[in-house]
Amino acid sequence: MTFEELKAMDDTYVMHTYARFPVDIDHGQGATLYSLAGKEYIDFTSGIGVNSLGYGDPTWISAITQQIQKLGHISNLYYTQPGPKLAKELCTRTGMDKVFFGNSGAEANEAMIKLARKYSFDKYGKGRSTIITLNHSFHGRTMATITATGQPHYHTYFFPFVEDFRYADPTLESIQAQGGDDVCAVMVELIQGEGGVRPLDKAMVQALAKLCQEKDWLLLVDEVQTGIGRTGTLFAYQQFDIQPDVVSFAKGIAGGLPLGGILASEKCATVLTPGTHGSTFGANPVSTAAGGAVMAKLDDAFLKEVQEKGQYLRTSIENLGSPWLGGVVGMGLMLGVDVKEGHTNKELATLLLDNGLLCLTAGERLRLLPPLVITKDEMDKGLAIMKQTLHD
C-alpha cells in the first residue's frame, strides 16, 4: 500500500477527529521510526508519552506473546495472574494501598473523580461534591474529565456539563478562594502537559497537600502523562515530597497497549466497592503483562538514566543557538521548549517533521516526550535535525 492509498482509505472511512500530519508510520526500532516508503524519523513523541520502551523491545514483545498464547481476556469476574502482580509492584514502589485498572487516562481520571465524590458522600452525605481543578489543566475527553479540564476552548458544543467543578490558578491563594464547605477534592497535574508543559511550584504543592489534609479534601494527582518514569522517578509526585490520596496513571504503563488506572492510599482504598465502579477490559491480562514488562525495566538505574537524558536534551537544546527557540522547562524526558515571537510551535513542528524529527506541541511550546529508552545517538540525530532546521 502506498501513502496515497492509505490516506484515501482513512479519509473515506475514518471520522475526521484528528488533524493528521501528511506522514505514515509503518514500523520502528528503539526511538527510530520508518514510513511505508522507508523514510527515517527520530521520535521525540513516543505516541504522546505512551511508548515508554520505544519500538521492538524484546522483553515487552515476549511478555505480550507469552500471555496472549495463554489468555487474551476473561473479564474481572475471575482471577488472572498479570493484574495482581502489576498491582503489587505499583503499590510496593509507591507506598499506596490499592489499584484499580481501566483502559485509558480519561477512564482513570473518571475513576478518581467518582472515588472522591463517594468518599465524601460516605463520610459527610450530600452537598460536598465539588472538585477544584486548575486553569490550563487537561484531564480527558469524557464528559466529566472534559468538564474538569481548565481550558475554556474544550467547553464548547457539549452542553450541559457535569456539575460541581470549579477552576483556580496554580496558587494556594486562588485554590483557597475557590474552596468552601461543598468541596471534596482538589485535582492537579504536577506538570500540566497539554496546557503547555507547565510545572507547578514545589512549595505550593506541598502547602496544598497540607491544606487538603486539614480540610479533608482529597488530593488527586493526575499522572497520566507524568507517571511511569517519564519525569525521572516512577511518579512525578515523588519529586515533590508529598503523598497524594489518589493518583491516576495510563499512557506509558503498558508501553503501547491500552491500560490505565488509579492508585489509592489506605484512606481511600475501600471506597469503590462491587457495583459502584468497574471496567470490562480493565486489568486485561495482555495489557497488564505488558505493564509488568515495563515496570521491570524501570529500576533505579534506569530512572537515573532518564534524568540524565533529560538534562542532556535540555542543555543541548539551550546550546543550539537557534534564533527561533527559547528556554526549556520540564522534568526528565517531559520537556517544553519556548518558541520565540515570529514563529509558532505548529510551524516549527511541521518543519522538523519534514526533516525527519517527530515533535509535539502544547500550549505555545514545542513538547518533547521521547521514548525512555532513547539512545544518545538517537538524541544527537534529533538535535542535529533541530539545529539544521531551526537555524535562520
Side-chain angles (χ1 to χ4, degrees), residues 11-270:
D11 290 344
T12 301
Y13 298 108
V14 178
M15 288 188 184
H16 296 172
T17 57
Y18 304 103
R20 299 191 199 276
F21 288 103
V23 166
D24 71 86
I25 302 298
D26 182 66
H27 62 281
Q29 187 65 45
T32 305
L33 296 165
Y34 301 89
S35 71
L36 283 164
K39 182 173 179 178
E40 181 180 291
Y41 296 91
I42 300 299
D43 182 21
F44 278 11
T45 74
S46 64
I48 317 184
V50 170
N51 301 314
S52 46
L53 303 186
Y55 309 92
D57 181 84
T59 305
W60 181 80
I61 291 171
S62 176
I64 292 169
T65 53
Q66 287 183 40
Q67 179 56 45
I68 205 165
Q69 288 171 353
K70 294 174 60 180
L71 183 69
H73 175 75
I74 192 59
S75 91
N76 286 300
L77 295 175
Y78 312 99
Y79 294 96
T80 58
Q81 294 182 55
K85 287 180 178 179
L86 179 56
K88 178 183 178 181
E89 184 75 8
L90 286 164
C91 290
T92 300
R93 294 181 61 178
T94 59
M96 301 296 269
D97 201 66
K98 301 282 187 185
V99 177
F100 170 82
F101 287 117
N103 307 291
S104 67
E107 188 179 350
N109 286 337
E110 285 270 355
M112 193 154 64
I113 290 165
K114 288 180 67 176
L115 186 153
R117 289 184 170 175
K118 187 172 184 296
Y119 170 86
S120 192
F121 182 89
D122 290 346
K123 192 169 182 178
Y124 299 99
K126 291 182 178 180
R128 195 178 185 274
S129 57
T130 295
I131 296 175
I132 299 171
T133 68
L134 300 185
N135 292 322
H136 303 292
S137 61
F138 181 84
H139 297 294
R141 295 185 183 273
T142 61
M143 286 304 297
T145 57
I146 204 171
T147 309
T149 292
Q151 299 188 59
H153 71 274
Y154 285 107
H155 297 171
T156 308
Y157 307 120
F158 307 113
F159 305 101
F161 288 102
V162 179
E163 296 179 345
D164 293 347
F165 286 94
R166 289 203 291 270
Y167 313 102
D169 291 328
T171 67
L172 191 66
E173 294 76 18
S174 182
I175 293 169
Q176 287 175 314
Q178 294 298 328
D181 293 337
D182 62 336
V183 172
C184 68
V186 180
M187 183 174 180
V188 300
E189 301 162 281
L190 298 175
I191 304 176
Q192 295 179 322
E194 301 294 332
V197 193
R198 297 166 174 261
L200 299 190
D201 177 73
K202 182 175 180 178
M204 190 283 291
V205 171
Q206 292 179 338
L208 173 60
K210 184 178 179 181
L211 176 68
C212 288
Q213 189 173 33
E214 291 171 354
K215 293 184 174 292
D216 200 20
W217 298 346
L218 295 189
L219 178 57
L220 313 177
V221 178
D222 175 351
E223 294 235 30
V224 167
Q225 192 164 142
T226 56
I228 317 301
R230 174 55 54 186
T231 66
T233 47
L234 188 59
F235 285 94
Y237 80 79
Q238 293 168 317
Q239 297 183 58
F240 284 74
D241 299 325
I242 60 168
Q243 190 71 15
D245 295 300
V246 192
V247 178
S248 63
F249 60 88
K251 286 191 181 290
I253 181 63
L257 294 187
L259 183 64
I262 58 173
L263 281 155
S265 66
E266 184 178 4
K267 179 168 80 171
C268 301
T270 60

